[in-house]
Amino acid sequence: MATSESNTTYSAPVGSVDLAAMNDEGEPYEIWPCGSCLPWHAEVVRADEEVLVREWHAVNCPEFQKLIKG
Ligand SMILES: [Zn+2]
């Protein structure tokens, strides 16, 4: 939950979450920048045979909290 003390600025501490790059049909997902935090960025990582998208968010970002809680 966002509070007035949430830190989602460019200098906020960041955390990452790994997401599937493609759906079950093998079609790539569109990636949109996070509208809830400024330090958002993404990188493509390879884990064994799988290609993943690693999204970085401010740790207090509500979208990030949603993602890591599944
Ligand atoms: Zn975010």
Side-chain angles (χ1 to χ4, degrees), residues 8 33-41 55-65 67:
T8 54
C34 182
S36 300
C37 72
L38 292 174
W40 180 91
H41 59 284
E55 285 194 3
W56 294 84
H57 293 257
V59 292
N60 289 332
C61 171
E63 291 301 319
F64 179 64
Q65 292 299 322
L67 285 168

